[in-house]
Amino acid sequence: MFFQNETISRREMQNLEPILIFITVAEMGSFTRAADSLGIHKGRASTAVRKLEEDVGVRLLHRTTRSVQLTEDGRAFHSRARDLLAEVDDLHSMFAGDRVALRGRLRVDLPTEVARTTIVPALPDFMAAHPDLELEMSSTDRQVDLVQEGFDCVLRLGPIRDETLVSRPLGLLRMVNAASPAYLARYGIPRSLEDLQRQEHRTIHFSTMLGARPYGWEYPDGDSYATLQLPGALHVNSAQTYDAAALAGLGLIQAPLLGIGQYFKSGALVEIMPDFRRRALPVSLIVAHRSNLSRRVRAFMKWIEDVLTPYLEMR
């Protein structure tokens, strides 16, 4: 078994960079992607891992022309190596608390509208407090693969279906029904489900992947929710495009209040059918592992929770 001692030896300290490279390669399944993520040349990554294997005396990775996979020894080494890096990170700041700025690289993924309207506007204070932190922020409306794409932390809206991931529920994001004044002037203001069909309303279809079945118009039905399929010629897979289409008068939308509340204030959009809102969206922070999160990941998760709490309803 590798790294039997709980204390960190000088030799292990010297091996931290190769260990970090190995972990990144193992989790991303590619020397090329790992090298790009770490900002180094592919040859340096390959050399570091090969030298690490020579030092420990076993093969850690199976390499083929198409993939890189952990060996049985590699899996044991990977688990302990992650713990070691977390211990080193905490060792440097164990007496510092919040007085020491965060250091290193942090890679996160956020929904586009949450990032644009809420997280990014709050970032200046966070970045000013931690000038040595390098933040890589992805903004997408698809479900990224934390391990394969190398994310430290992901904010997700909706249910978490991957049971191998670790989630921290933050609360519920209120949904609202909306349309532009120009659209409502053309079709009328719906006040019931019957009005949606009688007035021949149209919806803007949204799904994370084009070609997939649209989510439909969701509404409360007793103790549960049901879906009404409304016509609509426009299908989008981006939250920003979804909102823009509503602003352009192309149809009705059901969206988080957090993202479109500003348009209610300006009058660019109008809330409709408040008694028929779709179910609130669960908001969760996701990590790949529960234990030994680095200090910068824990601090970022706490900060993002503080930023979002005013916009959330508790379960």
Side-chain angles (χ1 to χ4, degrees), residues 13 84 188 203 240 294:
M13 289 292 290
L84 174 65
T203 186
Q240 290 176 302
S294 70

Side-chain angles (χ1 to χ4, degrees), residues 81-191:
R82 285 187 60 90
D83 292 346
L84 174 65
L85 290 188
E87 289 169 9
V88 172
D89 186 72
D90 286 342
L91 183 63
H92 282 292
S93 58
M94 64 184 297
F95 300 115
D98 296 331
R99 293 180 288 105
V100 172
L102 304 178
R103 299 176 183 276
R105 181 175 299 185
L106 181 62
R107 196 167 196 224
V108 302
D109 179 77
L110 309 170
T112 53
E113 280 297 271
V114 176
R116 183 181 68 85
T117 63
T118 310
I119 302 302
V120 172
L123 262 183
D125 289 343
F126 181 78
M127 299 302 289
H130 307 288
D132 296 322
L133 178 69
E134 183 180 349
L135 182 61
E136 293 184 354
M137 181 178 291
S138 164
S139 297
T140 64
D141 292 314
R142 65 180 178 87
Q143 292 199 357
V144 299
D145 187 315
L146 272 78
V147 175
Q148 290 297 319
E149 298 181 57
F151 287 104
D152 297 296
C153 175
V154 167
L155 182 73
R156 281 195 182 162
L157 307 182
I160 308 302
R161 296 184 173 87
D162 189 342
E163 296 180 355
T164 66
L165 301 176
V166 179
S167 66
R168 179 194 294 177
L170 302 184
L172 299 171
L173 200 58
R174 180 188 299 172
M175 303 293 288
V176 290
N177 305 319
S180 72
Y183 172 89
L184 295 174
R186 179 181 178 185
Y187 287 90
I189 300 176
R191 305 186 188 279

Side-chain angles (χ1 to χ4, degrees), residues 147-283:
V147 175
Q148 290 297 319
E149 298 181 57
F151 287 104
D152 297 296
C153 175
V154 167
L155 182 73
R156 281 195 182 162
L157 307 182
I160 308 302
R161 296 184 173 87
D162 189 342
E163 296 180 355
T164 66
L165 301 176
V166 179
S167 66
R168 179 194 294 177
L170 302 184
L172 299 171
L173 200 58
R174 180 188 299 172
M175 303 293 288
V176 290
N177 305 319
S180 72
Y183 172 89
L184 295 174
R186 179 181 178 185
Y187 287 90
I189 300 176
R191 305 186 188 279
S192 66
L193 296 174
E194 290 75 16
D195 285 348
L196 291 176
Q197 297 175 315
R198 181 177 58 81
Q199 296 172 342
E200 299 182 340
H201 283 281
R202 305 177 68 79
T203 186
I204 300 162
H205 295 303
F206 180 90
S207 57
T208 55
M209 295 183 62
L210 290 179
R213 180 179 175 83
Y215 296 150
W217 186 269
E218 189 176 86
Y219 61 92
D221 183 20
D223 295 331
S224 185
Y225 286 81
T227 301
L228 179 67
Q229 296 301 325
L230 291 179
L234 179 62
H235 297 241
V236 302
N237 66 347
S238 158
Q240 290 176 302
T241 305
Y242 190 57
D243 295 351
L247 291 167
L250 295 172
L252 307 175
I253 62 171
Q254 295 183 299
L257 178 62
L258 178 148
I260 65 174
Q262 58 182 317
Y263 302 125
F264 290 163
K265 294 179 180 178
S266 68
L269 290 178
V270 177
E271 182 178 7
I272 59 169
M273 302 176 66
D275 294 333
F276 293 91
R277 293 173 179 157
R278 69 181 305 152
R279 77 186 76 202
L281 276 178
V283 182

